[in-house]
Amino acid sequence: MYGAILGDIVGSPYEFDCNNYKGKDFPLFSQRSEFTDDTVMTLAVARALLDTRGQDDISIKAALVREMQRLGHAYPDKGYGVRFNQWLYEDNPQPYRSYGNGSAMRVSPAAWLAESIQEALHLAQLTAEVTHDHPEGIKGAQAVAAAIFLARTGHSKVVIKAYVECKFGYDLNRTCDEIRPTYHHVESCQKTVPQAIAAFLESTAFEDALRTAVSLGGDSDTLAAITGSIAEAFYGVPENLKQECRKRLTPDLEEILQACENMILQR
């Protein structure tokens, strides 16, 4: 989960078109670098999946709703979308056919905790469906989960690219130089997930992946969170960046991150 959280933190000062910086030579961290809804919801998903290992889909979805609402209430001013923010406070929250990129930015725990790519895809669908039950919302989450799972199990970028293109139909042939000039802030899976994967595919290291993602512009924190989640699985995360990540979280969020890391290391 470090990759998603660091991407969120690194990208946060550059979110929205007015703040976009279409270069890679920016300070990785500044006083404006902070975690947003991407981090909160990623850790909510992690907590829910940790608590329901081996349980049925109904129990998993109930836990997802519970933890997303619990942490959403605990961190109310972190940049949630209008409709999602309403969902957070509903007594009987229901999915609302969203295809926003929120389903893709929070999905990384599904890929890390899964034992097979089939399980990763299934868990990704569950994490999306509690809010983002539009086919594009589910597809975005599954594509990111698949890329993470393949990366963490030793597959090459060639294999990851081919799998995502074949199974999900995304066009991953545009280079970042081709994407960058006209790319702008957009919050759909369709116009975030392919760009985030492209940034990973062109990257040369974990930090370079984050810088490349931010340099595209657009919804920078979410874009970098998605790219970072895949890059972590492929490259790993340098220890100094892990330390920087932990110190920027609150104790309760850091505790969830540590619990998830412990579970992964025990396998």
Side-chain angles (χ1 to χ4, degrees):
M1 265 55 65
Y2 283 98
I5 297 168
L6 282 164
D8 178 36
I9 293 170
V10 168
S12 61
Y14 307 103
E15 187 180 14
F16 303 115
D17 292 336
C18 60
N19 296 321
N20 283 170
Y21 182 74
K22 299 216 171 191
K24 295 169 67 172
D25 58 337
F26 56 87
L28 203 60
F29 301 102
S30 70
Q31 290 185 341
R32 296 191 298 135
S33 302
E34 61 182 9
F35 71 84
T36 75
D37 59 321
D38 302 54
T39 291
V40 177
M41 288 302 114
T42 294
L43 291 173
V45 168
R47 182 74 272 168
L49 295 183
L50 284 170
D51 290 346
T52 54
R53 298 281 288 165
Q55 297 184 26
D56 60 34
D57 291 358
I58 294 174
S59 299
I60 293 171
K61 281 189 169 183
L64 287 163
V65 171
R66 181 179 66 249
E67 289 303 316
M68 290 164 74
Q69 287 197 321
R70 182 181 71 84
L71 286 184
H73 295 177
Y75 299 93
D77 300 314
K78 288 299 178 180
Y80 307 103
V82 173
R83 183 63 188 89
F84 183 79
N85 195 62
Q86 294 172 350
W87 181 92
L88 284 175
Y89 292 90
E90 291 173 357
D91 292 333
N92 182 30
Q94 298 297 316
Y96 48 93
R97 297 290 287 176
S98 176
Y99 50 78
N101 55 25
S103 62
M105 59 79 164
R106 70 191 187 209
V107 76
S108 55
W112 281 101
L113 296 174
E115 300 291 345
S116 67
I117 194 163
Q118 291 78 16
E119 185 183 9
L121 294 174
H122 181 65
L123 289 176
Q125 180 172 345
L126 297 181
T127 67
E129 282 180 337
V130 292
T131 52
H132 294 52
D133 58 338
H134 188 284
E136 291 290 347
I138 295 168
K139 183 172 86 169
Q142 288 185 317
V144 174
I148 296 169
F149 187 88
L150 290 171
R152 80 170 181 83
T153 51
H155 293 80
S156 69
K157 289 183 179 180
V158 172
V159 171
I160 294 168
K161 179 177 182 288
Y163 183 92
V164 172
E165 286 181 323
C166 180
K167 188 167 183 66
F168 301 104
Y170 287 135
D171 178 6
L172 301 179
N173 291 313
R174 295 178 68 205
T175 68
C176 289
D177 284 344
E178 290 171 332
I179 294 168
R180 192 176 290 110
T182 58
Y183 192 58
H184 60 91
H185 189 275
V186 63
E187 296 180 353
S188 69
C189 278
Q190 303 94 300
K191 295 185 178 181
T192 306
V193 172
Q195 290 79 3
I197 296 175
F200 157 69
L201 292 172
E202 284 196 20
S203 66
T204 59
F206 177 77
E207 182 177 328
D208 183 64
L210 300 187
R211 291 185 179 278
T212 302
V214 171
S215 78
L216 294 180
D219 189 4
S220 299
D221 59 339
T222 298
L223 191 72
I226 296 170
T227 300
S229 67
I230 305 169
E232 174 187 15
F234 191 82
Y235 299 113
V237 179
E239 185 56 39
N240 66 309
L241 293 184
K242 286 187 176 182
Q243 292 176 5
E244 189 70 34
C245 177
R246 289 191 294 265
K247 81 179 188 181
R248 290 173 182 271
L249 296 177
T250 60
D252 58 327
L253 295 180
E254 184 182 1
E255 183 180 356
I256 298 171
L257 177 61
Q258 188 63 60
C260 208
E261 185 175 31
N262 291 344
M263 173 67 74
I264 293 165
L265 291 173
Q266 287 171 8
R267 289 190 315 195

